[in-house]
Structures are given as C-alpha cells and as structure tokens.
C-alpha cells in the first residue's frame, strides 16, 4: 500500500488538463453526497479513494495509459438501466472482465474476498470481480458515464443503510 501523502490539488495536477474540471466536479459531488476522500501516493502516481461509511465506492488510479476509475459496483443490479445506456466499449469492458470466483463457488477465492457484483445486460446475468468489473480509462467520452455509475452506486448504498 502507498503511504498517506499529497493533497487533492497535487493529485489533480497530475490528471490530464482536459479532464481536470470533470475530476474536480465529481470530487465535489461525491463529498456533497457524504463520501470521505483518502489520498495515497503509489509507484504509478496518486491513488484517490472515495469511501462511504468506511467502504470504498471508487478509486482513481494511474497507469501508463492514463487515469482510470475503479468503481466498486456492489449494487450494480440496482442500476441495470444505466449500464444498458453505456457506450458499447464500456459495456464490453464490463462483460469481458473476469468473473467473480466467489460468486460462482463460495469456497473459491480468499476468505477475505468481499465478493463481486451481479448485473444484467441484454438479458444475460453477469457475476463480475469487483476489482476489474468496472475499471474504465477516463476519456472525454467515458467521463459522463463514469460519473453516473459512481453516483448511482453511492445512491444505492445510501438507500440500503
């Protein structure tokens, strides 16, 4: 794990200039919805996590390809309609990601695994690993959809508790 360091401003300055406004607005929106922000420095750059009641909803992570959003869609089945409106490449990324071993077999994977998520798309039910089932490169095209998915997950979590 990375060490606790850096500020949101430091993180934002390492995001591509064309995406900074979106990332900053989403940050403000998630804080307004009650999320806490945790910023750590990792080898590949900053990792920024948004947590609701100490459970991570999403992370921004850096890779060579750019900044990616890892959304922990624990309640994805509650916003199937939104998933159905994602661009084809984002839907493909979700459906092609690895299946959750633990959802397919309760004895598979580690005891500490919190399980993946289940959703429906085009009449098919998917059971995907929470670590890469919703892992999207931030682009001008994907930004709005990433924001929608994260806010849908936050709202679903808030409606449960």
């Amino acid at each position: 794990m990375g060490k606790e360091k850096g500020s949101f401003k430091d993180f934002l300055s390492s995001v591509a200039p064309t995406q900074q406004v979106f990332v900053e607005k989403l940050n403000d929106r998630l804080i307004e919805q009650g999320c806490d922000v945790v910023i750590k420095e990792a080898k590949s750059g900053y990792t920024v996590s948004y947590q609701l009641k100490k459970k991570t909803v999403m992370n921004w992570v850096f890779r060579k390809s750019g900044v990616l959003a890892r959304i922990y869609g624990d309640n994805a089945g509650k916003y199937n309609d939104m998933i159905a409106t994602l661009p084809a490449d984002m839907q493909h990324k979700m459906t092609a990601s690895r299946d959750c071993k633990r959802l397919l077999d309760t004895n598979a994977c580690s005891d500490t695994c919190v399980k993946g998520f289940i959703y429906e798309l085009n009449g098919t039910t998917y059971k995907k690993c929470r670590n890469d089932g919703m892992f999207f490169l931030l682009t001008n095209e994907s930004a709005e959809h990433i924001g929608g998915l994260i806010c849908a997950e936050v709202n679903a979590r808030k409606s449960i508790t």
Side-chain angles (χ1 to χ4, degrees):
M1 285 282 219
K3 54 187 181 213
E4 196 91 24
K5 192 181 177 200
S7 68
F8 185 77
K9 243 182 203 171
D10 294 334
F11 157 70
L12 195 59
S13 70
S14 56
V15 172
T18 55
Q19 296 158 343
Q20 288 179 0
V21 170
F22 168 78
V23 170
E24 190 166 25
K25 282 184 179 173
L26 183 60
N27 177 69
D28 295 344
R29 219 161 121 198
L30 291 172
I31 290 170
E32 283 171 18
Q33 291 185 352
C35 290
D36 294 318
V37 184
V38 178
I39 301 170
K40 294 183 179 177
E41 219 175 304
K43 282 182 187 173
S44 57
Y46 293 98
T47 300
V48 178
S49 301
Y50 293 89
Q51 299 176 349
L52 189 64
K53 296 182 180 167
K54 302 207 185 281
K55 293 197 177 231
T56 303
V57 179
M58 68 98 43
N59 297 329
W60 288 119
V61 295
F62 284 92
R63 297 290 188 267
K64 286 180 182 172
S65 55
V67 66
L68 288 95
R70 175 177 283 133
I71 304 166
Y72 297 104
D74 300 355
N75 300 285
K78 295 187 186 223
Y79 44 92
N80 285 322
D81 291 351
M82 181 176 289
I83 292 170
T85 67
L86 294 175
D89 61 326
M90 289 179 77
Q91 287 181 0
H92 176 73
K93 180 107 175 72
M94 287 180 68
T95 58
S97 67
R98 64 190 152 134
D99 290 331
C100 173
K101 295 177 194 172
R102 194 124 192 231
L103 283 172
L104 300 172
D105 174 4
T106 53
N107 297 316
C109 210
S110 155
D111 288 342
T112 59
C113 172
V114 295
K115 292 189 188 154
F117 58 92
I118 301 169
Y119 67 95
E120 244 180 68
L121 181 63
N122 300 326
T124 302
T125 299
Y126 295 92
K127 297 178 179 183
K128 295 300 178 175
C129 175
R130 73 188 307 261
N131 290 323
D132 67 358
M134 285 195 211
F135 194 40
F136 304 110
L137 180 65
L138 178 61
T139 64
N140 291 339
E141 183 191 21
S142 69
E144 170 191 334
H145 301 289
I146 288 169
L149 287 169
I150 294 163
C151 290
E153 180 62 33
V154 168
N155 290 332
R157 290 186 188 195
K158 286 167 97 175
S159 71
I160 292 169
T161 51

